[in-house]
Amino acid sequence: MTASEQESTRSSSAADRRSLPGWAAAALRGLGWLGGLALAGLVSLLLVVGVALAVAYPQLPEIASLTDYRPKLPMRVFSADNVLLGEFGEERRNFTPIGRIPQVMKDAVLSAEDARFYEHGGVDFKGVARAALENLRDARSQGASTITMQVARNFYLSTEKTFTRKIYEILLALKIESLLTKDQILELYMNQIFLGQRAHGFASAAEIYFGKKLQDVSIAEAAMLAGLPKAPSSFNPIVNPKRATQRQRHIIERMFENGFITEKQHEEALAQVLRYRTQSEVAVHAEFVAEAARQLVFAQYGEDSYTRGLNVYLTVNAADQAVAYRALRRGLMDYELRQVYRGPEAYIDLPADPQLIDERVAEALGEHPNNDDLLAAVVLEASPRKVVAMLQTGETLTATGEGLRPVTSGLSEKAGPKIQIRRGAVVRVMRNARGTWFLTQLPEVEGALVALDPKTGAVRAMVGGFDYAKNKFNHVTQAWRQPGSSFKPFIYSAALEQGFTPDTIVNDAPLFFDAAETGSQPWEPKNYDGKFDGPMPLHTALARSKNMVSIRVLRAIGPDTAQQWIGRFGFEAEKHPAYLTMALGAGSVTPLQMASAYGVFANGGYRVGPALIARLTDNKGKVLLETRPPVLDESLRTLDARNAFVMGTLLQEITRSGTAAKAQATLKRPDLYGKTGTTNDSMDTWFAGYHPSLVAVVWIGYDTPKKLGDRETGGGLALPVWIELMQHALKNVPVEEPTPPEGVVNVGGQWVFDEFSGGRGISSVGLEDKVPGAPNPEERNSILDLFRR
């Protein structure tokens, strides 16, 4: 039968059906086929269908978006170096009218998804009955969704597998069939369906997989593309060529059986070796960045943002972004490996027949997608010494020895039923740098990393959490958390203006405050290590993050003064109540806020707001918006250059010999500045630091605040992430240390404001307070003399 004869037959069948309403024609065909069933069953079925029609049909959504389907140009987001980071819009595809879709592609899709498409009225009752019988036989999910039902689901319904959703899917399919022609429905399907690799619709898929126009695909290539809708991840030829080829060959057979291709074409298609397009770029995980840009553009252009073909060019550097993403994930996973194993994500029944295991695993893992390099797997064999598991790709892996340490409790004979790793368990696996497989789990802990240029405010990298697909909350911009000790530099900055110097001696002795002084309840603060070391210079106290010293400094200058001062850095006064707890960072900040604030120290005292969008163009390249870097002049100055400089020397000491000494030791350069932060009970850990050319802030904690662990600190958790980013960002960047500005003098190796040199500043604070086990007054004076030399 020729293609024109086939088309004539289809059109004739469609015309016959249009003489009746779509749902009535479908019901009549269903009744004819079910005539052999018992009368009681038929009556029951009719009653159920009747009730469903009466109750649900009037509540079905309007389908105007289908009858007036207009492709719209998406918003596209690019990095500063022109790497595509994301697309937003109702259509992310190369829309192709049905008349321009080659017949071979249509035939392949019909053979794969719905061979009776031109014969049924939206619901293939034969297929439904067949799937029901199969489900009763082996309890595995069977499809029976027609192309029309898939259109209904993709446009209007969720993907959850419930009886109610299936009823709505059937009814909506019947409604669609009554309003649209078969060709219109097929056109919608072939432009709408997701096909993996960011491809929506077969025209986009042809270009992404084969680098071809859809009109140029061969029978073998069309069959491969037609195999993707069933499971884009499982049958992706780039990710799983073996399974994809099996699916492709099945579709070629179906095309031959349906009379769409000749025997010669069938043999040639089976013999053709497919050549896939080389993936020229590595995917950059910038989902949080792209979403932040989308929100900014939407605020300006509203719904038109998704239809005008806007191109958004960001300040983000793709390479920096990629490193930031990996660094944060590595930091969070390293922490997760130290946590108690919480058990498999699910358990599935595996068939006894080894030939059926691959398909069952692929089906099960469809509900547990891979999380980048954190892969989902189904356990085939488990013992305390060895675990064998299968991945979504069909590959099997074996984990032994060290690879089982993170899940030891789950492999114990005493493990509870919800914790035990056994055959059929869905687990997570990763491969380390040596290629060794190890079992782990999806982290519950979250994090954030943001880096920006302190002179321009340009955001260079932004990672808002462990995984955007898992949690879309952007912790860089939305997470208001306590900054802990990373906030202390802003208190010290205020103190410098009040007469404090790096050599001011402050007593690290116990303190107790009543409710009137704290604003809430009595408070007896502690140092992180639980020790009190007595009098010490201010610069030493900051390097060692001594809480008692910070509190005494704040009490000396006054909480109200400090609250007013921190506004210079962009902090909101109401989020930092004027109580002594402010000295320990008890207020609320976001990581982006902290990055901008530390940028004031880094750029010499200028307040520069963060910038994400460099320029915006329309689909023809016309520039609609361009952001020019600010000029650092006195109109932007918020802090004296000498204050920023002296604070820089204090922050540099922290990375040289203090709580962040690992920074200079690892990166082998002196021009690094920053402060660790760990809040009360280790609920939030931070590192905020900078090089004169780049500020970066890292935060790690739980969304619902809880203890990270007694030994977890900003220096241990957040600092390594910061170092990994800086190792990349500062490669080949020469050492850059600032020139001392006017108004400062070096006294004994410490920089001091001119007017506070020669003993004219505050010499000491709190020396009258007793430290348990401290030396007597004579011994203490001898120690102070050493500090002053």
Side-chain angles (χ1 to χ4, degrees):
M1 183 180 290
T2 65
S4 60
E5 289 172 335
Q6 294 171 21
E7 190 64 34
S8 175
T9 301
R10 294 167 184 166
S11 301
S12 176
S13 298
D16 291 341
R17 284 194 306 279
R18 282 196 292 271
S19 63
L20 287 174
W23 66 268
L28 285 174
R29 282 191 298 276
L31 287 173
W33 191 83
L34 294 171
L37 295 178
L39 182 60
L42 179 59
V43 172
S44 298
L45 177 63
L46 288 173
L47 285 173
V48 170
V49 173
V51 170
L53 284 169
V55 175
Y57 201 88
Q59 300 179 29
L60 293 177
E62 294 297 324
I63 61 171
S65 60
L66 299 186
T67 56
D68 188 26
Y69 185 67
R70 297 180 182 177
K72 300 180 174 78
L73 297 173
M75 177 204 307
R76 308 183 81 199
V77 181
F78 297 89
S79 68
D81 42 344
N82 212 38
V83 175
L84 180 64
L85 302 180
E87 290 182 278
F88 299 93
E90 295 177 26
E91 307 301 333
R92 303 183 212 175
R93 56 193 56 78
N94 298 330
F95 180 82
T96 307
I98 192 67
R100 291 175 52 198
I101 297 176
Q103 189 63 44
V104 66
M105 191 70 249
K106 290 187 280 189
D107 290 342
V109 168
L110 294 178
S111 296
E113 295 294 322
D114 190 357
R116 288 168 33 81
F117 174 69
Y118 281 95
E119 298 169 24
H120 62 65
V123 180
D124 187 354
F125 288 101
K126 285 185 178 180
V128 171
R130 182 177 62 252
L133 291 174
E134 289 293 333
N135 288 336
L136 289 173
R137 190 175 67 179
D138 67 3
R140 288 187 294 151
S141 175
Q142 293 291 322
S145 287
T146 65
I147 284 176
T148 313
M149 291 166 68
Q150 291 183 57
V151 169
R153 179 167 67 245
N154 290 336
F155 274 89
Y156 297 108
L157 302 174
S158 69
T159 57
E160 61 179 343
K161 296 181 179 181
T162 64
F163 180 75
T164 302
R165 194 223 69 189
K166 199 68 176 179
I167 289 294
Y168 272 95
E169 185 178 305
I170 290 171
L171 295 176
L172 195 52
L174 297 176
K175 184 173 183 178
I176 290 170
E177 287 271 347
S178 70
L179 296 174
L180 300 179
T181 67
K182 284 291 187 179
D183 280 350
Q184 286 176 318
I185 296 169
L186 188 59
E187 179 181 82
L188 289 170
Y189 176 82
M190 298 190 73
N191 281 283
Q192 179 77 11
I193 196 71
F194 174 66
L195 300 169
Q197 301 292 115
R198 299 183 178 179
H200 291 256
F202 287 94
S204 292
E207 292 185 358
I208 288 174
Y209 288 103
F210 300 115
K212 290 185 174 184
K213 296 293 184 183
L214 186 59
Q215 291 81 359
D216 299 328
V217 296
S218 67
I219 293 172
E221 290 166 339
M224 181 62 79
L225 295 176
L228 292 168
K230 183 177 181 181
S233 58
S234 297
F235 299 113
N236 184 324
I238 293 174
V239 176
N240 192 337
K242 178 182 176 182
R243 191 179 292 149
T245 300
Q246 291 174 344
R247 173 81 173 148
Q248 177 224 24
R249 295 178 76 85
H250 167 73
I251 294 170
I252 292 173
E253 295 292 347
R254 293 283 295 141
M255 293 176 74
F256 178 60
E257 292 170 6
N258 291 331
F260 293 143
I261 58 177
T262 66
E263 184 173 357
K264 181 182 178 182
Q265 289 173 321
H266 165 256
E267 293 173 356
E268 290 174 347
L270 291 174
Q272 183 180 349
V273 177
L274 301 187
R275 299 280 185 259
Y276 299 105
R277 180 182 182 183
T278 302
Q279 300 301 305
S280 58
E281 60 183 32
V282 177
V284 177
H285 287 276
E287 295 88 349
F288 289 102
V289 180
E291 171 59 16
R294 182 201 68 79
Q295 292 179 19
L296 291 172
V297 174
F298 183 82
Q300 177 71 28
Y301 293 98
E303 292 295 334
D304 287 347
S305 305
Y306 310 133
T307 62
R308 293 181 55 176
L310 299 177
N311 294 311
V312 188
Y313 296 90
L314 306 185
T315 59
V316 167
N317 177 275
D320 290 344
Q321 177 67 27
V323 172
Y325 170 81
R326 289 290 169 206
L328 183 63
R329 279 181 71 91
R330 195 183 331 274
L332 296 179
M333 285 308 304
D334 285 348
Y335 171 80
E336 190 60 49
L337 290 174
R338 300 193 292 273
Q339 307 313 301
V340 175
Y341 185 59
R342 295 182 292 274
E345 295 177 22
Y347 296 96
I348 66 169
D349 293 327
L350 290 175
D353 185 349
Q355 299 298 320
L356 301 177
I357 288 178
D358 179 83
E359 185 178 348
R360 179 66 181 119
V361 167
E363 179 187 41
L365 294 185
E367 298 180 9
H368 299 271
N370 291 334
N371 191 290
D372 197 8
D373 55 349
L374 187 56
L375 309 179
V378 174
V379 173
L380 305 180
E381 174 189 335
S383 72
R385 294 189 176 184
K386 183 175 76 171
V387 170
V388 179
M390 181 177 285
L391 301 173
Q392 173 72 267
T393 61
E395 175 189 357
T396 58
L397 62 93
T398 301
T400 60
E402 290 295 311
L404 300 180
R405 179 171 291 182
V407 299
T408 301
S409 58
L411 293 169
S412 169
E413 293 180 359
K414 298 180 180 179
K418 294 184 179 180
I419 302 297
Q420 187 181 52
I421 297 176
R422 57 182 184 270
R423 181 176 168 84
V426 178
V427 297
R428 291 283 162 173
V429 297
M430 288 188 74
R431 198 177 233 161
N432 62 21
R434 299 187 303 274
T436 303
W437 288 104
F438 63 93
L439 272 64
T440 182
Q441 57 192 339
L442 280 170
E444 291 183 343
V445 71
E446 274 292 358
L449 191 165
V450 59
L452 53 81
D453 184 329
K455 296 181 179 65
T456 65
V459 175
R460 290 263 297 275
M462 179 193 293
V463 187
F466 179 76
D467 180 68
Y468 183 79
K470 175 173 171 277
N471 184 355
K472 293 178 173 54
F473 184 80
N474 190 338
H475 297 85
V476 167
T477 60
Q478 296 176 285
W480 289 92
R481 306 295 292 228
Q482 290 189 345
S485 297
S486 63
F487 196 74
K488 289 176 180 176
F490 307 107
I491 304 300
Y492 278 56
S493 172
L496 293 180
E497 299 294 325
Q498 302 298 314
F500 279 79
T501 74
D503 281 328
T504 298
I505 304 300
V506 185
N507 200 1
D508 178 34
L511 289 165
F512 177 81
F513 303 96
D514 59 28
E517 291 179 284
T518 65
S520 56
Q521 55 190 1
W523 181 41
E524 187 174 9
K526 304 289 184 184
N527 286 318
Y528 174 77
D529 59 8
K531 300 176 182 178
F532 303 99
D533 293 327
M536 64 180 62
L538 197 70
H539 66 89
T540 301
L542 184 60
R544 295 171 60 186
S545 201
K546 287 293 186 176
N547 290 340
M548 302 306 109
V549 172
S550 297
I551 295 169
R552 282 184 168 85
V553 169
L554 180 58
R555 185 168 62 176
I557 66 175
D560 289 329
T561 298
Q563 186 189 46
Q564 183 178 8
W565 185 260
I566 64 174
R568 292 170 177 261
F569 299 90
F571 295 115
E572 302 168 32
E574 63 272 17
K575 292 189 179 294
H576 301 271
Y579 296 108
L580 293 177
T581 50
M582 189 198 307
L584 306 188
S588 296
V589 300
T590 67
L592 182 59
Q593 220 179 31
M594 288 290 278
S596 291
Y598 269 80
V600 175
F601 294 138
N603 64 29
Y606 302 97
R607 182 167 166 199
V608 180
L612 182 61
I613 296 177
R615 74 181 188 280
L616 183 69
T617 71
D618 63 17
N619 65 315
K620 296 180 180 179
K622 179 183 177 182
V623 176
L624 305 177
L625 170 71
E626 190 162 12
T627 303
R628 299 188 180 279
V631 177
L632 297 185
D633 56 25
E634 293 308 301
S635 67
L636 294 178
R637 181 169 293 285
T638 189
L639 190 69
D640 274 352
R642 62 180 188 169
N643 189 301
F645 174 79
V646 173
M647 282 306 307
T649 65
L650 298 180
L651 296 172
Q652 187 178 34
E653 183 172 343
I654 294 171
T655 66
R656 181 176 62 248
S657 61
T659 56
K662 187 177 180 181
Q664 289 197 34
T666 302
L667 298 178
K668 309 298 183 184
R669 55 189 304 152
D671 53 345
L672 303 173
Y673 313 78
K675 180 72 184 76
T676 55
T678 308
T679 63
N680 192 36
D681 290 330
S682 296
M683 291 189 180
D684 297 272
T685 60
W686 297 77
F687 186 75
Y690 61 89
H691 173 271
S693 65
L694 189 68
V695 180
V697 171
V698 180
W699 165 84
I700 293 175
Y702 287 99
D703 277 336
T704 301
K706 67 177 182 178
K707 290 184 67 171
L708 289 161
D710 292 336
R711 297 184 179 181
E712 305 295 353
T713 65
L717 272 180
L719 179 59
V721 177
W722 187 90
I723 289 174
E724 185 172 342
L725 172 64
M726 285 296 187
Q727 205 158 28
H728 160 79
L730 300 181
K731 188 176 182 180
N732 300 323
V733 175
V735 170
E736 179 183 352
E737 295 198 69
T739 302
E742 292 184 3
V744 295
V745 60
N746 191 291
V747 179
Q750 296 294 331
W751 292 95
V752 181
F753 290 3
D754 278 344
E755 64 269 31
F756 299 138
S757 63
R760 288 171 290 180
I762 296 174
S763 61
S764 63
V765 171
L767 298 188
E768 67 281 359
D769 297 330
K770 177 66 176 174
V771 180
N776 60 42
E778 291 77 15
E779 293 173 322
R780 184 179 67 193
N781 288 335
S782 298
I783 294 171
L784 295 181
D785 286 340
L786 289 174
F787 282 133
R788 294 186 178 111
R789 287 176 186 171

